[in-house]
Amino acid sequence: MVKPQVYLKNALVLTITSFALRAAGMVFRVYLAGNIGSEGMGLYQLIFSLYNFAITFATAGISVASTRLVAEELSGGNPGSAAGALRKVITAGVALGGVAGAVQFFFAYPATKYLLGDARAELSLRILAPSLPFMAGAAALRGYFLARRRVGPNVQSQMLEQALRIGVVLWILQYT
């Protein structure tokens, strides 16, 4: 039996992390707006509206499925089966993410031209497409660690992801 304090502690850690990451994202967007201007921010928003849709498709239900399947295996007292369930969910997630990435990559031009009305976003969508299988795999791992009641790896991975995202964009901004 897990003590209620563990749930409360994990919930508190996840809540604080979520607030911190959202604050960092907000500060980053303000900085970005100052550097790329209103036209650049408009294009950024267009790109990320389609990209977020692809992320949703690539990761939909993966974390929840992983949490549930791994928790079921762990409750049966067979950690080896939990690892097998995780491998299956990761495989399914990476495959779904690969399909989403391929669709985003190959339909980037028609999507930007006809849906967004600005074909300049095409290259950005193509560059972002290969990240989708990795995001789906990471969603499966997040679910695994939640099932194991270990939020530390989730928090660390989310913070690293945000730091890398901001770092890469800042690095690219130096050369544009």
Side-chain angles (χ1 to χ4, degrees), residues 19-152:
F19 281 134
L21 291 173
R22 288 186 187 272
M26 182 183 67
V27 169
F28 173 66
R29 280 190 296 280
V30 168
Y31 174 80
L32 192 60
N35 279 289
I36 64 175
S38 59
E39 184 177 357
M41 281 306 289
L43 193 56
Y44 174 85
Q45 289 301 113
L46 284 174
I47 292 163
F48 273 90
S49 63
L50 275 182
Y51 183 57
N52 283 330
F53 179 73
I55 290 171
T56 300
F57 179 75
T59 62
I62 299 294
S63 182
V64 173
S66 179
T67 301
R68 177 162 180 179
L69 292 173
V70 170
E72 283 178 2
E73 296 299 333
L74 290 172
S75 69
N78 191 353
S81 294
L86 175 63
R87 278 192 297 277
K88 289 176 185 174
V89 176
I90 286 175
T91 301
V94 169
L96 189 58
V99 169
V103 167
Q104 180 173 311
F105 185 86
F106 291 111
F107 289 97
Y109 178 74
T112 56
K113 181 171 177 157
Y114 300 113
L115 288 176
L116 301 181
D118 194 337
R120 293 179 297 172
E122 176 188 3
L123 180 60
S124 297
L125 285 174
R126 287 182 189 237
I127 290 170
L128 290 169
S131 68
L132 294 173
F134 296 104
M135 287 185 164
L141 288 171
R142 275 193 297 276
Y144 171 79
F145 285 113
L146 286 175
R148 303 274 321 203
R149 297 184 196 104
R150 294 181 55 212
V151 298

